[in-house]
PDB file of all heavy atoms in Angstrom:
ATOM      1  N   MET A 829     146.262  10.459 -55.214  1.00  0.00           N
ATOM      2  CA  MET A 829     145.820  11.736 -54.648  1.00  0.00           C
ATOM      3  C   MET A 829     146.975  12.721 -54.765  1.00  0.00           C
ATOM      4  O   MET A 829     148.054  12.497 -54.202  1.00  0.00           O
ATOM      5  CB  MET A 829     145.440  11.507 -53.174  1.00  0.00           C
ATOM      6  CG  MET A 829     145.140  12.774 -52.381  1.00  0.00           C
ATOM      7  SD  MET A 829     144.841  12.378 -50.627  1.00  0.00           S
ATOM      8  CE  MET A 829     143.062  12.384 -50.571  1.00  0.00           C
ATOM      9  N   ILE A 831     148.981  16.130 -54.041  1.00  0.00           N
ATOM     10  CA  ILE A 831     149.086  17.041 -52.883  1.00  0.00           C
ATOM     11  C   ILE A 831     149.216  18.486 -53.353  1.00  0.00           C
ATOM     12  O   ILE A 831     150.069  18.807 -54.177  1.00  0.00           O
ATOM     13  CB  ILE A 831     150.347  16.710 -52.051  1.00  0.00           C
ATOM     14  CG1 ILE A 831     150.326  15.264 -51.559  1.00  0.00           C
ATOM     15  CG2 ILE A 831     150.518  17.696 -50.900  1.00  0.00           C
ATOM     16  CD1 ILE A 831     151.647  14.798 -50.924  1.00  0.00           C
ATOM     17  N   LEU A 832     148.374  19.350 -52.781  1.00  0.00           N
ATOM     18  CA  LEU A 832     148.511  20.789 -53.023  1.00  0.00           C
ATOM     19  C   LEU A 832     148.604  21.482 -51.663  1.00  0.00           C
ATOM     20  O   LEU A 832     147.615  21.598 -50.944  1.00  0.00           O
ATOM     21  CB  LEU A 832     147.288  21.300 -53.802  1.00  0.00           C
ATOM     22  CG  LEU A 832     147.281  22.792 -54.128  1.00  0.00           C
ATOM     23  CD1 LEU A 832     148.483  23.185 -54.981  1.00  0.00           C
ATOM     24  CD2 LEU A 832     145.995  23.171 -54.850  1.00  0.00           C
ATOM     25  N   ASN A 833     149.820  21.890 -51.306  1.00  0.00           N
ATOM     26  CA  ASN A 833     150.024  22.571 -50.023  1.00  0.00           C
ATOM     27  C   ASN A 833     150.049  24.073 -50.234  1.00  0.00           C
ATOM     28  O   ASN A 833     150.934  24.599 -50.897  1.00  0.00           O
ATOM     29  CB  ASN A 833     151.359  22.131 -49.401  1.00  0.00           C
ATOM     30  CG  ASN A 833     151.263  20.750 -48.780  1.00  0.00           C
ATOM     31  OD1 ASN A 833     150.258  20.408 -48.149  1.00  0.00           O
ATOM     32  ND2 ASN A 833     152.304  19.941 -48.951  1.00  0.00           N
ATOM     33  N   THR A 835     150.779  26.441 -48.144  1.00  0.00           N
ATOM     34  CA  THR A 835     151.430  26.792 -46.879  1.00  0.00           C
ATOM     35  C   THR A 835     152.761  27.470 -47.187  1.00  0.00           C
ATOM     36  O   THR A 835     153.356  27.204 -48.230  1.00  0.00           O
ATOM     37  CB  THR A 835     151.780  25.509 -46.091  1.00  0.00           C
ATOM     38  OG1 THR A 835     152.549  24.668 -46.967  1.00  0.00           O
ATOM     39  CG2 THR A 835     150.553  24.752 -45.654  1.00  0.00           C
ATOM     40  N   ASP A 837     155.321  26.775 -45.296  1.00  0.00           N
ATOM     41  CA  ASP A 837     156.338  26.017 -44.579  1.00  0.00           C
ATOM     42  C   ASP A 837     156.242  24.499 -44.700  1.00  0.00           C
ATOM     43  O   ASP A 837     156.798  23.778 -43.881  1.00  0.00           O
ATOM     44  CB  ASP A 837     156.281  26.394 -43.088  1.00  0.00           C
ATOM     45  CG  ASP A 837     154.899  26.139 -42.470  1.00  0.00           C
ATOM     46  OD1 ASP A 837     153.929  25.931 -43.233  1.00  0.00           O
ATOM     47  OD2 ASP A 837     154.794  26.156 -41.244  1.00  0.00           O
ATOM     48  N   SER A 838     155.543  23.968 -45.731  1.00  0.00           N
ATOM     49  CA  SER A 838     155.506  22.505 -45.851  1.00  0.00           C
ATOM     50  C   SER A 838     156.898  21.966 -46.127  1.00  0.00           C
ATOM     51  O   SER A 838     157.721  22.670 -46.721  1.00  0.00           O
ATOM     52  CB  SER A 838     154.564  22.096 -46.981  1.00  0.00           C
ATOM     53  OG  SER A 838     153.241  22.214 -46.531  1.00  0.00           O
ATOM     54  N   PHE A 839     157.128  20.710 -45.729  1.00  0.00           N
ATOM     55  CA  PHE A 839     158.516  20.237 -45.731  1.00  0.00           C
ATOM     56  C   PHE A 839     159.115  20.112 -47.128  1.00  0.00           C
ATOM     57  O   PHE A 839     160.314  20.246 -47.304  1.00  0.00           O
ATOM     58  CB  PHE A 839     158.656  18.925 -44.937  1.00  0.00           C
ATOM     59  CG  PHE A 839     158.212  17.689 -45.687  1.00  0.00           C
ATOM     60  CD1 PHE A 839     159.132  16.898 -46.363  1.00  0.00           C
ATOM     61  CD2 PHE A 839     156.883  17.309 -45.716  1.00  0.00           C
ATOM     62  CE1 PHE A 839     158.739  15.754 -47.052  1.00  0.00           C
ATOM     63  CE2 PHE A 839     156.471  16.178 -46.398  1.00  0.00           C
ATOM     64  CZ  PHE A 839     157.403  15.400 -47.069  1.00  0.00           C
ATOM     65  N   SER A 840     158.281  19.866 -48.148  1.00  0.00           N
ATOM     66  CA  SER A 840     158.924  19.694 -49.453  1.00  0.00           C
ATOM     67  C   SER A 840     158.506  20.714 -50.493  1.00  0.00           C
ATOM     68  O   SER A 840     159.209  20.922 -51.456  1.00  0.00           O
ATOM     69  CB  SER A 840     158.699  18.274 -49.968  1.00  0.00           C
ATOM     70  OG  SER A 840     157.543  18.199 -50.724  1.00  0.00           O
ATOM     71  N   ASP A 841     157.349  21.351 -50.321  1.00  0.00           N
ATOM     72  CA  ASP A 841     156.915  22.303 -51.344  1.00  0.00           C
ATOM     73  C   ASP A 841     156.385  23.593 -50.741  1.00  0.00           C
ATOM     74  O   ASP A 841     155.624  24.311 -51.379  1.00  0.00           O
ATOM     75  CB  ASP A 841     155.854  21.665 -52.255  1.00  0.00           C
ATOM     76  CG  ASP A 841     154.670  21.113 -51.471  1.00  0.00           C
ATOM     77  OD1 ASP A 841     154.686  21.222 -50.235  1.00  0.00           O
ATOM     78  OD2 ASP A 841     153.738  20.585 -52.086  1.00  0.00           O
ATOM     79  N   ASP A 867     144.257  16.821 -52.840  1.00  0.00           N
ATOM     80  CA  ASP A 867     144.184  17.082 -51.400  1.00  0.00           C
ATOM     81  C   ASP A 867     144.812  18.438 -51.123  1.00  0.00           C
ATOM     82  O   ASP A 867     146.001  18.627 -51.360  1.00  0.00           O
ATOM     83  CB  ASP A 867     144.940  15.981 -50.640  1.00  0.00           C
ATOM     84  CG  ASP A 867     144.791  16.109 -49.129  1.00  0.00           C
ATOM     85  OD1 ASP A 867     143.664  16.338 -48.664  1.00  0.00           O
ATOM     86  OD2 ASP A 867     145.814  15.958 -48.424  1.00  0.00           O
ATOM     87  N   GLY A 869     145.859  21.430 -48.499  1.00  0.00           N
ATOM     88  CA  GLY A 869     146.123  21.695 -47.081  1.00  0.00           C
ATOM     89  C   GLY A 869     146.736  23.063 -46.896  1.00  0.00           C
ATOM     90  O   GLY A 869     147.515  23.526 -47.731  1.00  0.00           O
ATOM     91  N   GLU A 871     147.808  23.976 -43.537  1.00  0.00           N
ATOM     92  CA  GLU A 871     148.553  23.950 -42.274  1.00  0.00           C
ATOM     93  C   GLU A 871     149.575  22.827 -42.356  1.00  0.00           C
ATOM     94  O   GLU A 871     149.203  21.663 -42.463  1.00  0.00           O
ATOM     95  CB  GLU A 871     147.601  23.702 -41.090  1.00  0.00           C
ATOM     96  CG  GLU A 871     148.330  23.583 -39.759  1.00  0.00           C
ATOM     97  CD  GLU A 871     147.399  23.501 -38.556  1.00  0.00           C
ATOM     98  OE1 GLU A 871     146.289  22.941 -38.691  1.00  0.00           O
ATOM     99  OE2 GLU A 871     147.795  23.988 -37.476  1.00  0.00           O
ATOM    100  N   SER A 872     150.839  23.167 -42.322  1.00  0.00           N
ATOM    101  CA  SER A 872     151.861  22.120 -42.400  1.00  0.00           C
ATOM    102  C   SER A 872     151.818  21.252 -41.150  1.00  0.00           C
ATOM    103  O   SER A 872     151.589  21.741 -40.049  1.00  0.00           O
ATOM    104  CB  SER A 872     153.259  22.743 -42.529  1.00  0.00           C
ATOM    105  OG  SER A 872     154.223  21.709 -42.459  1.00  0.00           O
ATOM    106  N   SER A 873     152.044  19.949 -41.366  1.00  0.00           N
ATOM    107  CA  SER A 873     152.082  19.028 -40.228  1.00  0.00           C
ATOM    108  C   SER A 873     153.481  18.467 -40.043  1.00  0.00           C
ATOM    109  O   SER A 873     153.667  17.497 -39.326  1.00  0.00           O
ATOM    110  CB  SER A 873     151.089  17.897 -40.474  1.00  0.00           C
ATOM    111  OG  SER A 873     151.353  17.321 -41.741  1.00  0.00           O
ATOM    112  N   ARG A 874     154.467  19.082 -40.708  1.00  0.00           N
ATOM    113  CA  ARG A 874     155.827  18.562 -40.576  1.00  0.00           C
ATOM    114  C   ARG A 874     156.245  18.676 -39.112  1.00  0.00           C
ATOM    115  O   ARG A 874     155.754  19.566 -38.397  1.00  0.00           O
ATOM    116  CB  ARG A 874     156.783  19.318 -41.498  1.00  0.00           C
ATOM    117  CG  ARG A 874     157.154  20.655 -41.007  1.00  0.00           C
ATOM    118  CD  ARG A 874     158.028  21.444 -41.947  1.00  0.00           C
ATOM    119  NE  ARG A 874     157.843  22.853 -41.663  1.00  0.00           N
ATOM    120  CZ  ARG A 874     158.354  23.496 -40.632  1.00  0.00           C
ATOM    121  NH1 ARG A 874     159.130  22.859 -39.769  1.00  0.00           N
ATOM    122  NH2 ARG A 874     158.104  24.771 -40.428  1.00  0.00           N
ATOM    123  N   PRO A 875     157.166  17.788 -38.663  1.00  0.00           N
ATOM    124  CA  PRO A 875     157.599  17.852 -37.267  1.00  0.00           C
ATOM    125  C   PRO A 875     158.107  19.263 -36.936  1.00  0.00           C
ATOM    126  O   PRO A 875     158.897  19.823 -37.682  1.00  0.00           O
ATOM    127  CB  PRO A 875     158.740  16.829 -37.207  1.00  0.00           C
ATOM    128  CG  PRO A 875     158.474  15.899 -38.345  1.00  0.00           C
ATOM    129  CD  PRO A 875     157.810  16.714 -39.412  1.00  0.00           C
ATOM    130  N   ALA A 877     156.287  22.019 -36.947  1.00  0.00           N
ATOM    131  CA  ALA A 877     155.499  23.105 -37.556  1.00  0.00           C
ATOM    132  C   ALA A 877     154.616  23.753 -36.485  1.00  0.00           C
ATOM    133  O   ALA A 877     154.116  23.087 -35.584  1.00  0.00           O
ATOM    134  CB  ALA A 877     154.634  22.564 -38.688  1.00  0.00           C
ATOM    135  N   ASP A 907     142.753  18.908 -46.225  1.00  0.00           N
ATOM    136  CA  ASP A 907     143.582  18.415 -45.131  1.00  0.00           C
ATOM    137  C   ASP A 907     143.468  19.406 -43.975  1.00  0.00           C
ATOM    138  O   ASP A 907     144.165  20.420 -43.951  1.00  0.00           O
ATOM    139  CB  ASP A 907     145.032  18.344 -45.672  1.00  0.00           C
ATOM    140  CG  ASP A 907     145.993  17.648 -44.733  1.00  0.00           C
ATOM    141  OD1 ASP A 907     145.688  17.539 -43.536  1.00  0.00           O
ATOM    142  OD2 ASP A 907     147.062  17.233 -45.205  1.00  0.00           O
ATOM    143  N   ASN A 926     140.188  15.244 -44.846  1.00  0.00           N
ATOM    144  CA  ASN A 926     141.366  14.463 -44.479  1.00  0.00           C
ATOM    145  C   ASN A 926     141.831  14.983 -43.129  1.00  0.00           C
ATOM    146  O   ASN A 926     142.511  15.999 -43.046  1.00  0.00           O
ATOM    147  CB  ASN A 926     142.431  14.656 -45.572  1.00  0.00           C
ATOM    148  CG  ASN A 926     143.759  14.018 -45.208  1.00  0.00           C
ATOM    149  OD1 ASN A 926     143.831  13.153 -44.329  1.00  0.00           O
ATOM    150  ND2 ASN A 926     144.820  14.448 -45.868  1.00  0.00           N
ATOM    151  N   ASP A 927     141.426  14.281 -42.060  1.00  0.00           N
ATOM    152  CA  ASP A 927     141.698  14.772 -40.706  1.00  0.00           C
ATOM    153  C   ASP A 927     142.833  13.960 -40.090  1.00  0.00           C
ATOM    154  O   ASP A 927     142.638  12.827 -39.636  1.00  0.00           O
ATOM    155  CB  ASP A 927     140.429  14.662 -39.856  1.00  0.00           C
ATOM    156  CG  ASP A 927     140.608  15.264 -38.462  1.00  0.00           C
ATOM    157  OD1 ASP A 927     141.768  15.523 -38.063  1.00  0.00           O
ATOM    158  OD2 ASP A 927     139.599  15.468 -37.763  1.00  0.00           O
ATOM    159  N   ILE A 928     144.007  14.562 -40.035  1.00  0.00           N
ATOM    160  CA  ILE A 928     145.185  13.831 -39.532  1.00  0.00           C
ATOM    161  C   ILE A 928     145.104  13.599 -38.022  1.00  0.00           C
ATOM    162  O   ILE A 928     145.927  12.871 -37.476  1.00  0.00           O
ATOM    163  CB  ILE A 928     146.514  14.539 -39.897  1.00  0.00           C
ATOM    164  CG1 ILE A 928     146.601  15.916 -39.257  1.00  0.00           C
ATOM    165  CG2 ILE A 928     146.694  14.602 -41.420  1.00  0.00           C
ATOM    166  CD1 ILE A 928     148.010  16.509 -39.285  1.00  0.00           C
ATOM    167  N   VAL A 949     138.946  10.824 -44.055  1.00  0.00           N
ATOM    168  CA  VAL A 949     140.183  10.055 -43.850  1.00  0.00           C
ATOM    169  C   VAL A 949     140.509  10.130 -42.372  1.00  0.00           C
ATOM    170  O   VAL A 949     140.688  11.224 -41.825  1.00  0.00           O
ATOM    171  CB  VAL A 949     141.355  10.622 -44.678  1.00  0.00           C
ATOM    172  CG1 VAL A 949     142.612   9.772 -44.449  1.00  0.00           C
ATOM    173  CG2 VAL A 949     141.005  10.684 -46.161  1.00  0.00           C
ATOM    174  N   LEU A 950     140.569   8.960 -41.723  1.00  0.00           N
ATOM    175  CA  LEU A 950     140.975   8.891 -40.317  1.00  0.00           C
ATOM    176  C   LEU A 950     142.418   8.427 -40.281  1.00  0.00           C
ATOM    177  O   LEU A 950     142.736   7.322 -40.730  1.00  0.00           O
ATOM    178  CB  LEU A 950     140.109   7.871 -39.571  1.00  0.00           C
ATOM    179  CG  LEU A 950     138.634   8.235 -39.352  1.00  0.00           C
ATOM    180  CD1 LEU A 950     137.901   7.044 -38.727  1.00  0.00           C
ATOM    181  CD2 LEU A 950     138.499   9.472 -38.463  1.00  0.00           C
ATOM    182  N   MET A 951     143.296   9.269 -39.751  1.00  0.00           N
ATOM    183  CA  MET A 951     144.728   8.927 -39.738  1.00  0.00           C
ATOM    184  C   MET A 951     145.238   8.748 -38.319  1.00  0.00           C
ATOM    185  O   MET A 951     144.830   9.463 -37.406  1.00  0.00           O
ATOM    186  CB  MET A 951     145.517  10.051 -40.446  1.00  0.00           C
ATOM    187  CG  MET A 951     146.930   9.643 -40.808  1.00  0.00           C
ATOM    188  SD  MET A 951     147.999  11.048 -41.184  1.00  0.00           S
ATOM    189  CE  MET A 951     148.403  11.593 -39.510  1.00  0.00           C
ATOM    190  N   ASP A 997     144.165   5.473 -42.548  1.00  0.00           N
ATOM    191  CA  ASP A 997     145.535   5.818 -42.911  1.00  0.00           C
ATOM    192  C   ASP A 997     146.443   5.602 -41.690  1.00  0.00           C
ATOM    193  O   ASP A 997     146.189   6.183 -40.626  1.00  0.00           O
ATOM    194  CB  ASP A 997     145.549   7.300 -43.341  1.00  0.00           C
ATOM    195  CG  ASP A 997     146.919   7.798 -43.762  1.00  0.00           C
ATOM    196  OD1 ASP A 997     147.931   7.135 -43.499  1.00  0.00           O
ATOM    197  OD2 ASP A 997     146.968   8.897 -44.356  1.00  0.00           O
ATOM    198  N   PRO A 998     147.490   4.779 -41.821  1.00  0.00           N
ATOM    199  CA  PRO A 998     148.371   4.537 -40.669  1.00  0.00           C
ATOM    200  C   PRO A 998     149.252   5.733 -40.307  1.00  0.00           C
ATOM    201  O   PRO A 998     149.919   5.712 -39.267  1.00  0.00           O
ATOM    202  CB  PRO A 998     149.234   3.353 -41.117  1.00  0.00           C
ATOM    203  CG  PRO A 998     149.208   3.388 -42.605  1.00  0.00           C
ATOM    204  CD  PRO A 998     147.860   3.967 -42.993  1.00  0.00           C
ATOM    205  N   GLY A 999     149.276   6.784 -41.132  1.00  0.00           N
ATOM    206  CA  GLY A 999     150.002   8.001 -40.759  1.00  0.00           C
ATOM    207  C   GLY A 999     151.513   7.842 -40.784  1.00  0.00           C
ATOM    208  O   GLY A 999     152.202   8.054 -39.768  1.00  0.00           O
ATOM    209  N   ILE A1000     152.033   7.523 -41.951  1.00  0.00           N
ATOM    210  CA  ILE A1000     153.485   7.357 -42.091  1.00  0.00           C
ATOM    211  C   ILE A1000     154.196   8.666 -41.701  1.00  0.00           C
ATOM    212  O   ILE A1000     153.839   9.748 -42.178  1.00  0.00           O
ATOM    213  CB  ILE A1000     153.829   6.956 -43.552  1.00  0.00           C
ATOM    214  CG1 ILE A1000     153.228   5.592 -43.907  1.00  0.00           C
ATOM    215  CG2 ILE A1000     155.339   6.992 -43.807  1.00  0.00           C
ATOM    216  CD1 ILE A1000     153.783   4.402 -43.151  1.00  0.00           C
ATOM    217  N   GLY A1001     155.153   8.553 -40.785  1.00  0.00           N
ATOM    218  CA  GLY A1001     155.936   9.727 -40.367  1.00  0.00           C
ATOM    219  C   GLY A1001     155.319  10.547 -39.248  1.00  0.00           C
ATOM    220  O   GLY A1001     155.917  11.512 -38.790  1.00  0.00           O
ATOM    221  N   PHE A1002     154.129  10.170 -38.800  1.00  0.00           N
ATOM    222  CA  PHE A1002     153.477  10.944 -37.736  1.00  0.00           C
ATOM    223  C   PHE A1002     153.707  10.256 -36.384  1.00  0.00           C
ATOM    224  O   PHE A1002     152.925   9.407 -35.960  1.00  0.00           O
ATOM    225  CB  PHE A1002     151.982  11.075 -38.017  1.00  0.00           C
ATOM    226  CG  PHE A1002     151.662  12.059 -39.116  1.00  0.00           C
ATOM    227  CD1 PHE A1002     151.687  11.672 -40.443  1.00  0.00           C
ATOM    228  CD2 PHE A1002     151.360  13.382 -38.807  1.00  0.00           C
ATOM    229  CE1 PHE A1002     151.394  12.583 -41.455  1.00  0.00           C
ATOM    230  CE2 PHE A1002     151.071  14.300 -39.816  1.00  0.00           C
ATOM    231  CZ  PHE A1002     151.093  13.906 -41.141  1.00  0.00           C
ATOM    232  N   LEU A1027     144.588   4.491 -47.149  1.00  0.00           N
ATOM    233  CA  LEU A1027     145.283   5.584 -47.832  1.00  0.00           C
ATOM    234  C   LEU A1027     146.682   5.658 -47.235  1.00  0.00           C
ATOM    235  O   LEU A1027     146.854   5.478 -46.024  1.00  0.00           O
ATOM    236  CB  LEU A1027     144.524   6.893 -47.600  1.00  0.00           C
ATOM    237  CG  LEU A1027     145.043   8.166 -48.268  1.00  0.00           C
ATOM    238  CD1 LEU A1027     143.864   9.130 -48.530  1.00  0.00           C
ATOM    239  CD2 LEU A1027     146.095   8.908 -47.472  1.00  0.00           C
ATOM    240  N   LEU A1028     147.682   5.919 -48.067  1.00  0.00           N
ATOM    241  CA  LEU A1028     149.047   6.008 -47.550  1.00  0.00           C
ATOM    242  C   LEU A1028     149.762   7.244 -48.083  1.00  0.00           C
ATOM    243  O   LEU A1028     149.720   7.521 -49.284  1.00  0.00           O
ATOM    244  CB  LEU A1028     149.836   4.760 -47.960  1.00  0.00           C
ATOM    245  CG  LEU A1028     150.546   4.142 -46.759  1.00  0.00           C
ATOM    246  CD1 LEU A1028     149.558   3.455 -45.863  1.00  0.00           C
ATOM    247  CD2 LEU A1028     151.626   3.192 -47.193  1.00  0.00           C
ATOM    248  N   GLY A1029     150.420   7.945 -47.168  1.00  0.00           N
ATOM    249  CA  GLY A1029     151.201   9.124 -47.552  1.00  0.00           C
ATOM    250  C   GLY A1029     152.671   8.889 -47.254  1.00  0.00           C
ATOM    251  O   GLY A1029     153.122   9.073 -46.127  1.00  0.00           O
ATOM    252  N   VAL A1030     153.393   8.456 -48.269  1.00  0.00           N
ATOM    253  CA  VAL A1030     154.831   8.199 -48.074  1.00  0.00           C
ATOM    254  C   VAL A1030     155.685   9.240 -48.785  1.00  0.00           C
ATOM    255  O   VAL A1030     156.896   9.310 -48.567  1.00  0.00           O
ATOM    256  CB  VAL A1030     155.234   6.799 -48.607  1.00  0.00           C
ATOM    257  CG1 VAL A1030     154.592   5.699 -47.789  1.00  0.00           C
ATOM    258  CG2 VAL A1030     154.883   6.643 -50.086  1.00  0.00           C
ATOM    259  N   SER A1031     155.059  10.065 -49.612  1.00  0.00           N
ATOM    260  CA  SER A1031     155.782  10.873 -50.588  1.00  0.00           C
ATOM    261  C   SER A1031     156.897  11.740 -49.986  1.00  0.00           C
ATOM    262  O   SER A1031     156.626  12.610 -49.143  1.00  0.00           O
ATOM    263  CB  SER A1031     154.758  11.763 -51.304  1.00  0.00           C
ATOM    264  OG  SER A1031     155.350  12.413 -52.395  1.00  0.00           O
ATOM    265  N   ARG A1032     158.119  11.488 -50.405  1.00  0.00           N
ATOM    266  CA  ARG A1032     159.312  12.289 -50.051  1.00  0.00           C
ATOM    267  C   ARG A1032     159.593  12.348 -48.553  1.00  0.00           C
ATOM    268  O   ARG A1032     160.305  13.241 -48.083  1.00  0.00           O
ATOM    269  CB  ARG A1032     159.188  13.718 -50.587  1.00  0.00           C
ATOM    270  CG  ARG A1032     158.967  13.820 -52.080  1.00  0.00           C
ATOM    271  CD  ARG A1032     158.905  15.281 -52.484  1.00  0.00           C
ATOM    272  NE  ARG A1032     158.523  15.473 -53.877  1.00  0.00           N
ATOM    273  CZ  ARG A1032     158.199  16.651 -54.410  1.00  0.00           C
ATOM    274  NH1 ARG A1032     158.223  17.739 -53.672  1.00  0.00           N
ATOM    275  NH2 ARG A1032     157.869  16.756 -55.673  1.00  0.00           N
ATOM    276  N   LYS A1033     158.999  11.449 -47.773  1.00  0.00           N
ATOM    277  CA  LYS A1033     159.098  11.597 -46.318  1.00  0.00           C
ATOM    278  C   LYS A1033     160.476  11.240 -45.769  1.00  0.00           C
ATOM    279  O   LYS A1033     161.286  10.583 -46.423  1.00  0.00           O
ATOM    280  CB  LYS A1033     157.985  10.810 -45.632  1.00  0.00           C
ATOM    281  CG  LYS A1033     156.656  11.568 -45.753  1.00  0.00           C
ATOM    282  CD  LYS A1033     155.549  11.037 -44.909  1.00  0.00           C
ATOM    283  CE  LYS A1033     154.336  11.974 -45.051  1.00  0.00           C
ATOM    284  NZ  LYS A1033     153.123  11.392 -44.501  1.00  0.00           N
ATOM    285  N   ARG A1067     148.907   9.205 -51.521  1.00  0.00           N
ATOM    286  CA  ARG A1067     148.958  10.685 -51.491  1.00  0.00           C
ATOM    287  C   ARG A1067     150.379  11.102 -51.867  1.00  0.00           C
ATOM    288  O   ARG A1067     151.317  10.818 -51.135  1.00  0.00           O
ATOM    289  CB  ARG A1067     148.579  11.125 -50.073  1.00  0.00           C
ATOM    290  CG  ARG A1067     148.508  12.617 -49.850  1.00  0.00           C
ATOM    291  CD  ARG A1067     148.170  12.924 -48.394  1.00  0.00           C
ATOM    292  NE  ARG A1067     148.133  14.352 -48.165  1.00  0.00           N
ATOM    293  CZ  ARG A1067     149.208  15.089 -47.923  1.00  0.00           C
ATOM    294  NH1 ARG A1067     150.402  14.551 -47.857  1.00  0.00           N
ATOM    295  NH2 ARG A1067     149.081  16.397 -47.721  1.00  0.00           N
ATOM    296  N   HIS A1069     153.287  13.849 -54.179  1.00  0.00           N
ATOM    297  CA  HIS A1069     153.630  15.115 -54.835  1.00  0.00           C
ATOM    298  C   HIS A1069     153.865  14.910 -56.338  1.00  0.00           C
ATOM    299  O   HIS A1069     153.507  15.763 -57.141  1.00  0.00           O
ATOM    300  CB  HIS A1069     154.924  15.694 -54.245  1.00  0.00           C
ATOM    301  CG  HIS A1069     154.866  15.971 -52.774  1.00  0.00           C
ATOM    302  ND1 HIS A1069     155.219  15.030 -51.822  1.00  0.00           N
ATOM    303  CD2 HIS A1069     154.506  17.080 -52.092  1.00  0.00           C
ATOM    304  CE1 HIS A1069     155.071  15.557 -50.614  1.00  0.00           C
ATOM    305  NE2 HIS A1069     154.651  16.794 -50.743  1.00  0.00           N
TER     306      HIS A1069
HETATM  307  N1  LIG B1348     151.048  13.511 -44.651  1.00  0.00           N
HETATM  308  C1  LIG B1348     151.189  14.860 -44.628  1.00  0.00           C
HETATM  309  C2  LIG B1348     150.060  15.687 -44.584  1.00  0.00           C
HETATM  310  N2  LIG B1348     148.813  15.167 -44.583  1.00  0.00           N
HETATM  311  N3  LIG B1348     147.382  13.291 -44.643  1.00  0.00           N
HETATM  312  C3  LIG B1348     147.224  11.967 -44.661  1.00  0.00           C
HETATM  313  N4  LIG B1348     145.993  11.428 -44.656  1.00  0.00           N
HETATM  314  N5  LIG B1348     148.297  11.099 -44.672  1.00  0.00           N
HETATM  315  C4  LIG B1348     149.576  11.560 -44.672  1.00  0.00           C
HETATM  316  O1  LIG B1348     150.513  10.732 -44.657  1.00  0.00           O
HETATM  317  C5  LIG B1348     149.799  12.972 -44.654  1.00  0.00           C
HETATM  318  C6  LIG B1348     148.647  13.821 -44.630  1.00  0.00           C
HETATM  319  C7  LIG B1348     152.554  15.457 -44.628  1.00  0.00           C
HETATM  320  O2  LIG B1348     153.011  15.687 -45.925  1.00  0.00           O
HETATM  321  P1  LIG B1348     152.940  17.091 -46.721  1.00  0.00           P
HETATM  322  O3  LIG B1348     151.538  17.547 -46.914  1.00  0.00           O
HETATM  323  O4  LIG B1348     153.700  16.936 -47.979  1.00  0.00           O
HETATM  324  O5  LIG B1348     153.749  18.113 -45.842  1.00  0.00           O
HETATM  325  P2  LIG B1348     153.311  19.198 -44.759  1.00  0.00           P
HETATM  326  O6  LIG B1348     152.578  18.521 -43.676  1.00  0.00           O
HETATM  327  O7  LIG B1348     154.645  19.771 -44.296  1.00  0.00           O
HETATM  328  O8  LIG B1348     152.459  20.234 -45.442  1.00  0.00           O
END
Side-chain angles (χ1 to χ4, degrees):
M829 172 185 261
I831 302 170
L832 180 60
N833 283 320
T835 54
D837 58 346
S838 283
F839 79 96
S840 90
D841 55 0
D867 186 45
E871 177 173 32
S872 174
S873 53
R874 76 184 156 76
D907 189 340
N926 173 18
D927 185 346
I928 63 165
V949 181
L950 291 174
M951 195 197 80
D997 181 346
I1000 296 294
F1002 285 85
L1027 182 151
L1028 230 73
V1030 294
S1031 189
R1032 303 182 187 169
K1033 283 191 175 168
R1067 183 182 179 277
H1069 301 90

